[in-house]
Amino acid sequence: MIVSVIGLGYIGLPTAAVLASNEIKVIGVDVNQQTIDTINSGRIHIIEPGLDVLVSEALKKGYLKAVIKPQKADVFMIAVPTPLGNGNKPDLSFVKSAAKAIAPVLEKGNLVILESTSPVGTTEKLTMWMRDERSDISFPEFGNNNFLADIAVAHCPERVLPGKVLRELIENNRIIGGISDNCARQAKDLYKIFVHADCLLTDSRTAELCKLVENSFRDVNIAFANELSLISDKLGVNVWNLIKLANQHPRVNILQPGPGVGGHCIAVDPWFISDSAPNESKLIQTARLVNDNKPNFVIDKINKSVKAIGKNRSDIKIVCLGLSFKPDIDDLRESPALEIALKIRLMGFSELMLVEPNISNIPSELKHESVCLSSFEKAIKASDIVVLLVDHTPFKSIDLNELSGKQIIDTRGTWS
Ligand code: SAJ
């Protein structure tokens, strides 16, 4: 059997490598020649623990190769981006391009799986885009379980946590939604090769909504925690202590407030629901707005600290601890910490020190004569205002006496 993985990014490459490590021949396809060259030389272009070893082993043993144009295979797994376009509308252009690219090499008996997080109805659109190119073979029809088409099409959304991808690919239960029941069953046979957990079958629409709902559930729950942080601030209550106490209740489990919600999933996927059902998704939309507004609250706190110091900003040094979207990773995409640092940069402080142990260069958008990357100890000593934005492990072990006399804005409760 040959499996072709279309899109060799954060999901596609680990999936390709895991399949190859199960002695399945994998052809990885990507539109970026540099990505292909890197993989074919046994290296990787993303950071994910353990992935480099898996990829270089797979290459050495001949189970994995990367190419720019799809070739014939038995299974095609599509793991391309589905970003937010203008007006928070889903951009499905990469899925459409993938459909058009694989259509010419499709053969009777092939299975096509969409892994990308997608709005409801995308797997049906994918089927339609392929059908438009290939009138000589038959494709399944949603809800028609009596028709055995030449090609099977299913949606199996990825659900892995960055940083734990290789483990979660194998250990997480999978939701598999077929265009028809037969498609779902065929897809399950593939996942059972490497998934050691349950593969639960449903239809493609349910699987699409299921993935969006999982991330929206988390977004709404984080928004609740973020709202509590605003309420507590107004009422002079320590929100971290409040949540810890409330969580003593057997049926309460409040998440942690922060500077906002980042990453390319939780801050994006709820919009896919609100785009499809705008009038029915008020809570989901409000949660997005609450989370997106949290950086402004942090900026207000900084302004209050400036007032408390009683000097001009041009005489004040400020440090931002962390820039990534969550702890102990180097990923700055959609990071609220980065957004806050950018806002601070424009506030005219004498110096903005950035401490981000997981990167070695200042992001280009932050470059300015008043901005520098600094070590943790040095920045703490030199600063008047300390803004903790990401709870990276090294920040937890500070002697709290070193913070005395400084204005502290701890958005993660690390020192509370
Ligand atoms: N965050 C908080 N408070 C919390 C938890 C998280 O502010 O209590 C923030 C984080 O700091 C971060 C953001 O939320 O900015 C998202 O981080 P995360 O660790 O919750 O999730 P992601 O985006 O890394 O991965 C999510 C996961 N989804 C769920 O947990 C429901 C993962 O399983 C998905 O596969 C992934 O999205 C995806 O690809 O969709």
Side-chain angles (χ1 to χ4, degrees):
M1 179 168 66
I2 297 178
V3 177
S4 181
V5 178
I6 315 292
L8 297 172
Y10 282 86
I11 301 301
L13 185 56
T15 306
V18 166
L19 276 163
S21 72
N22 281 276
E23 305 194 335
I24 300 289
K25 285 213 162 198
V26 180
I27 303 176
V29 182
D30 202 281
V31 290
N32 186 326
Q33 187 62 46
Q34 211 178 336
T35 300
I36 288 167
D37 294 343
T38 307
I39 294 167
N40 283 337
S41 67
R43 292 171 296 124
I44 57 173
H45 60 295
I46 52 176
I47 292 188
E48 184 58 44
L51 184 60
D52 47 352
V53 178
L54 217 56
V55 167
S56 82
E57 284 284 303
L59 237 99
K60 241 185 262 161
K61 291 185 179 161
Y63 284 108
L64 175 66
K65 69 171 180 182
V67 298
I68 201 134
K69 217 171 144 209
Q71 301 175 359
K72 284 182 183 176
D74 300 287
V75 181
F76 293 88
M77 295 174 96
I78 300 175
V80 295
T82 45
L84 266 189
N86 287 341
N88 290 330
K89 290 209 157 294
D91 171 2
L92 299 182
S93 57
F94 297 99
V95 179
K96 190 171 183 181
S97 302
K100 303 268 170 202
I102 62 174
V105 295
L106 281 179
E107 290 180 328
K108 284 185 185 177
N110 281 174
L111 164 67
V112 179
I113 299 169
L114 178 65
E115 281 231 0
S116 315
T117 304
S118 298
V120 175
T122 308
T123 314
E124 289 155 81
K125 281 188 181 152
L126 165 69
T127 311
M128 187 189 74
W129 288 324
M130 293 187 292
R131 185 188 293 127
D132 287 348
E133 303 289 314
R134 293 294 301 271
S135 52
D136 56 319
I137 43 177
S138 65
F139 289 84
E141 290 158 14
F142 184 85
N144 185 351
N145 288 320
N146 298 322
F147 173 52
L148 268 192
D150 293 333
I151 307 289
V153 187
H155 178 53
C156 182
E158 60 84 10
R159 308 161 101 191
V160 289
L161 199 69
K164 293 186 185 163
V165 169
L166 293 181
R167 209 184 74 202
E168 293 209 350
L169 265 178
I170 294 164
E171 290 180 2
N172 288 3
N173 290 346
R174 297 296 297 237
I175 309 296
I176 300 175
I179 289 279
S180 68
D181 291 350
N182 174 54
C183 299
R185 276 193 298 271
Q186 286 196 38
K188 179 176 177 175
D189 289 342
L190 177 83
Y191 283 98
K192 270 301 175 190
I193 295 172
F194 63 97
V195 173
H196 298 170
D198 292 340
C199 291
L200 306 160
L201 303 191
T202 182
D203 61 70
S204 56
R205 285 184 202 170
T206 307
E208 286 158 345
L209 189 55
C210 186
K211 168 62 197 265
L212 302 179
V213 161
E214 290 161 17
N215 279 354
S216 300
F217 170 85
R218 198 149 167 86
D219 198 45
V220 168
N221 280 280
I222 297 169
F224 182 70
N226 277 333
E227 187 161 289
L228 287 183
S229 72
L230 307 193
I231 295 168
S232 301
D233 185 69
K234 181 163 186 178
L235 303 180
V237 168
N238 178 323
V239 70
W240 318 102
N241 196 27
L242 171 77
I243 290 174
K244 208 162 116 192
L245 294 172
N247 282 349
Q248 297 302 310
H249 187 288
R251 284 174 297 283
V252 174
N253 188 9
I254 303 168
L255 292 180
Q256 298 300 301
V261 170
H264 27 282
C265 309
I266 294 193
V268 170
D269 299 352
W271 291 121
F272 290 2
I273 296 182
S274 93
D275 183 63
S276 311
N279 296 326
E280 295 76 15
S281 56
K282 300 293 184 216
L283 179 63
I284 289 172
Q285 292 168 44
T286 305
R288 274 286 67 247
L289 299 179
V290 168
N291 287 333
D292 276 354
N293 196 41
K294 196 66 199 291
N296 294 329
F297 171 79
V298 178
I299 297 296
D300 282 351
K301 297 294 280 178
I302 293 170
N303 279 325
K304 284 184 183 143
S305 292
V306 171
K307 259 199 191 139
I309 293 172
K311 289 190 206 163
N312 289 330
R313 285 181 193 158
S314 55
D315 295 321
I316 295 176
K317 290 181 181 169
I318 185 164
V319 53
C320 284
L321 299 179
L323 290 177
S324 57
F325 87 84
K326 62 181 196 174
D328 301 327
I329 58 166
D330 66 338
D331 194 339
L332 306 188
R333 287 180 295 173
E334 319 287 336
S335 170
L338 183 64
E339 181 188 336
I340 290 165
L342 281 166
K343 288 189 166 147
I344 296 174
R345 205 213 83 182
L346 299 174
M347 289 169 80
F349 286 102
S350 95
E351 203 172 330
L352 166 57
M353 290 164 280
L354 306 170
V355 181
E356 178 42 82
N358 303 298
I359 62 169
S360 42
N361 294 313
I362 298 182
S364 54
E365 59 270 50
L366 269 170
K367 279 190 179 146
H368 187 260
E369 57 187 15
S370 63
V371 183
C372 66
L373 262 188
S374 173
S375 74
F376 181 40
E377 293 75 17
K378 203 173 135 197
I380 294 285
K381 258 198 196 106
S383 59
D384 304 295
I385 304 176
V386 178
V387 191
L388 187 139
L389 294 170
V390 188
D391 40 350
H392 288 312
T393 304
F395 301 158
K396 293 178 183 166
S397 53
I398 191 174
D399 174 359
L400 291 182
N401 291 324
E402 289 182 36
L403 298 172
S404 77
K406 297 176 191 296
Q407 292 288 320
I408 311 294
I409 298 155
D410 176 3
T411 69
R412 300 277 184 177
T414 308
W415 302 321
S416 295

